[in-house]
Amino acid sequence: MTAVVTELPPSKLGTKEHWDDVYHEEISNFIDHGDEGEVWFGEDTQEKMVEWALANVPPSPDLSVLEIGSGNGALLFGLLDAGYPARCLAGLDYSSSATQLAEIVAVLRDGEKISFTTSNFLEDDPLPLPNSVSPSGGVDRWDLLLDKGTYDAIALGVKDEHGRSPAINYPSRVARLLKPGGYFLITSCNFTEDELKANFVTSETGLVYHSRIQHPTYSFGGKSGSTCASIAVQKPLPAA
Ligand SMILES: C[S@@+](CC[C@H](N)C(=O)[O-])C[C@H]1O[C@@H](n2cnc3c(N)ncnc32)[C@H](O)[C@@H]1O
């Protein structure tokens, strides 16, 4: 089965230029007022992702954790504050302004530095952390991959000549990078939990559903919904 992707129409949120402008502005704000920038989807959502990580992939010296599309680094700084060693944490973002902002914030915080790199997740394999180990000797070296709003942004990118979204390749790239037993935790405001499951839990990825995060719900016009959706999927361990 192939992943179901999105019928979302392209928008400026799916362009690198947009994010370059956003983080360029955030760098100015940080320099002028010390404002570290927007916490995408809000502090509560971020805290819930950190709590999920603490419960399922607790801090340990040999972990490798990567945030895909790390922006200003707020989620990774949240993990750092929760006790994850900086040397276990990495962020990548295709906007060099985002990387620059996250690095400036990191320098102004004491202690070891989180690794932030500028890289397009759909094109490049992420740089490994010095402590990371791949059981196969390949790129499958991450215990936890995180996404907060990046799959959403990628799904709003320009479609190819066959009308396919750039997001079509994302789930299999995630699966390839996870260690056996590793987790991918995603929070989205454009996809429901069911849509996330349909896109990530496929025979193509081999990933299995693990758990969800409960977010505040609302009711309107007799229907109820959630402000955003988070699911975690896992790469199964090889059969013994
Ligand atoms: C909605 S923002 C979220 C940023 C961050 N995760 C947060 O929670 O604050 C989406 C991020 O994805 C990044 N992004 C979009 N497409 C990307 C790609 N193909 N490779 C790497 N980063 C990408 C953008 O530059 C932006 O920083």
Side-chain angles (χ1 to χ4, degrees):
M1 189 171 83
T2 315
V4 185
V5 190
T6 159
E7 296 309 318
L8 297 172
S11 115
K12 68 174 185 176
L13 272 74
T15 66
K16 183 172 168 301
E17 293 69 30
H18 170 75
W19 295 108
D20 282 339
D21 289 348
V22 166
Y23 292 113
H24 190 72
E25 177 82 23
E26 287 202 357
I27 290 174
S28 305
N29 290 339
F30 184 66
I31 290 168
D32 293 346
H33 319 291
D35 176 0
E36 292 183 9
E38 180 166 352
V39 176
W40 205 256
F41 303 156
E43 302 264 1
D44 275 3
T45 303
Q46 182 162 298
E47 255 168 52
K48 285 182 179 184
M49 290 182 80
V50 172
E51 280 165 16
W52 184 97
L54 286 168
N56 294 284
V57 191
S60 89
D62 297 323
L63 281 182
S64 288
V65 178
L66 173 72
E67 185 184 4
I68 303 162
S70 44
N72 58 19
L75 177 58
L76 291 168
F77 292 121
L79 290 174
L80 188 68
D81 293 343
Y84 288 82
R87 67 174 180 285
C88 299
L89 302 175
L92 68 80
D93 203 292
Y94 72 172
S95 165
S96 57
S97 309
T99 314
Q100 227 183 318
L101 173 60
E103 279 176 342
I104 297 171
V105 176
V107 165
L108 295 181
R109 287 170 165 248
D110 289 336
E112 290 176 281
K113 274 186 68 191
I114 296 172
S115 152
F116 290 104
T117 50
T118 302
S119 154
N120 186 334
F121 181 70
L122 297 177
E123 293 172 4
D124 311 315
D125 288 334
L127 287 179
L129 288 169
N131 59 315
S132 77
V133 179
S134 156
S136 71
V139 291
D140 54 341
R141 53 177 81 245
W142 301 94
D143 298 287
L144 176 60
L145 293 173
L146 296 162
D147 180 315
K148 181 158 70 73
T150 302
Y151 183 61
D152 285 358
I154 290 175
L156 295 171
V158 176
K159 297 190 193 320
D160 69 14
E161 66 273 24
H162 306 293
R164 286 180 306 217
S165 161
I168 191 116
N169 298 319
Y170 185 104
S172 55
R173 287 189 72 78
V174 164
R176 186 170 156 264
L177 296 174
L178 284 176
K179 268 185 199 166
Y183 296 94
F184 172 61
L185 174 65
I186 177 167
T187 298
S188 163
C189 70
N190 285 347
F191 297 95
T192 63
E193 282 182 24
D194 284 345
E195 287 168 335
L196 291 174
K197 278 185 212 167
N199 288 350
F200 286 91
V201 182
T202 64
S203 53
E204 191 185 343
T205 64
L207 299 172
V208 296
Y209 175 74
H210 177 265
S211 52
R212 63 189 286 273
I213 294 175
Q214 177 68 53
H215 292 291
T217 53
Y218 64 85
S219 295
F220 184 75
K223 291 194 171 170
S224 61
S226 188
T227 44
C228 53
S230 300
I231 66 160
V233 294
Q234 189 175 21
K235 183 162 172 174
L237 289 164

